[in-house]
Amino acid sequence: MVLSLGGSVFLTGEKDAEFLRQLVEGLRAVAKQHPLAVVVGGGKTAREYIRLGRELGLTEIELDELGIDVTRLNARLLASLLTPACPARPLTSVREAVEESSRWSLVVLGGTEAGHTTDAVAALLAERMRAERLVNATRSGGIYDRDPATDPAATLLKSLTFPQFRAMVEAGTDGRAGQEFIFDRLGVERLARARIPLAVVQGRDVEQLRNALLGKVFRGSIVAPAG
Ligand code: UTP
């Protein structure tokens, strides 16, 4: 099982310590039943660095690298909290994560290389590890027909196919550093190709997150291969 834990779930500025304690307990419990890889995002902190760097004229690749460093900072915090259940430092590539997951039932990493987000890292890892499912822990708690942050009439879509979801991701992203969309382009392509379902869940609700990770019924959305 692979978990993509959005940076905007990881740190919000509100009750983060309480949430992280519950999360760590939940992840340890899941990892006793299934091997688990957790990819942590950079959230608001990454976007703030990217916005500042862009204003100062940094290139897109330099902005991506700033973002990667922030994801690794978050991953380091999570890895330290999970020690000794996982390697104490965040892993830096999909290959290293695959190798280490033969020794550990829990591995943690942030970003890997420029040009995508941690959602794509999670999808690449899911493909390599032949994961049963990728769980995306988000702030929004699912996939909506419109942006729920700006449109109160937005409706939760409980189940979608990959072509439907891919069209939404393409309309919502253009590949630049620091974008804020529920998933990324490379990630959705890889999952569709590998026929790995994507579950989108409210990451701050640790019970729902555990359900999604254990393959139980959960509140959120599922993107599944057709047929
Ligand atoms: P995130 O994965 O945090 O992006 O990476 P996000 O979509 O903003 O996710 P949330 O809000 O945490 O859920 C932050 C930025 O770091 C760079 C990209 O610029 C990305 O937008 N990055 C990250 C990479 O270039 N490569 C990576 O492997 C990961």
Side-chain angles (χ1 to χ4, degrees):
M1 205 65 75
V2 176
L3 170 63
S4 178
L5 184 64
S8 51
V9 169
F10 194 73
L11 288 187
T12 63
E14 272 174 49
K15 298 189 176 169
D16 290 327
E18 191 183 319
F19 163 69
L20 288 173
R21 277 191 204 104
Q22 288 175 14
L23 177 73
V24 162
E25 204 181 301
L27 296 180
R28 282 211 179 102
V30 170
K32 281 192 183 133
Q33 296 189 43
H34 298 282
L36 179 62
V38 185
V39 188
V40 189
K44 202 168 99 207
T45 318
R47 276 192 294 278
E48 275 172 13
Y49 271 95
I50 289 168
R51 188 195 51 72
L52 179 63
R54 184 170 280 133
E55 199 181 320
L56 293 167
L58 266 58
T59 62
E60 284 300 307
I61 198 161
E62 288 166 337
L63 298 175
D64 281 338
E65 283 161 353
L66 275 181
I68 292 172
D69 282 352
V70 177
T71 65
R72 288 184 177 159
L73 189 62
N74 286 344
R76 183 175 286 278
L77 175 58
L78 185 63
S80 303
L81 293 171
L82 286 164
T83 303
C86 73
R89 64 173 179 88
L91 307 176
T92 53
S93 69
V94 166
R95 206 183 76 184
E96 195 187 16
V98 172
E99 281 170 14
E100 291 298 325
S101 64
S102 63
R103 283 188 279 272
W104 301 82
S105 60
L106 198 45
V107 296
V108 179
L109 67 162
T112 53
E113 60 273 307
H116 50 65
T117 74
T118 45
D119 291 331
V121 175
L124 294 166
L125 192 55
E127 191 178 8
R128 284 266 176 223
M129 292 174 93
R130 298 186 161 81
E132 237 173 75
R133 187 176 325 112
L134 196 163
V135 175
N136 191 22
T138 64
R139 275 302 265 175
S140 63
I143 303 165
Y144 289 78
D145 60 346
R146 281 164 280 180
D147 183 358
T150 54
D151 193 339
T155 325
L156 178 72
L157 305 170
K158 287 192 177 159
S159 131
L160 294 91
T161 63
F162 273 108
Q164 287 168 330
F165 186 53
R166 186 185 290 184
M168 293 173 78
V169 173
E170 289 200 350
T173 56
D174 68 8
R176 292 201 312 155
Q179 283 194 21
E180 206 172 348
F181 194 72
I182 198 149
F183 211 70
D184 93 352
R185 290 178 174 211
L186 177 62
V188 72
E189 260 171 42
R190 288 308 176 107
L191 290 184
R193 190 178 77 164
R195 300 180 65 79
I196 296 174
L198 170 70
V200 183
V201 62
Q202 163 57 259
R204 282 256 158 176
D205 186 335
V206 174
E207 198 187 326
Q208 293 299 323
L209 177 58
R210 268 175 77 155
N211 287 345
L213 287 169
L214 291 171
K216 295 183 180 168
V217 177
F218 69 95
R219 206 178 314 123
S221 306
I222 282 268
V223 184

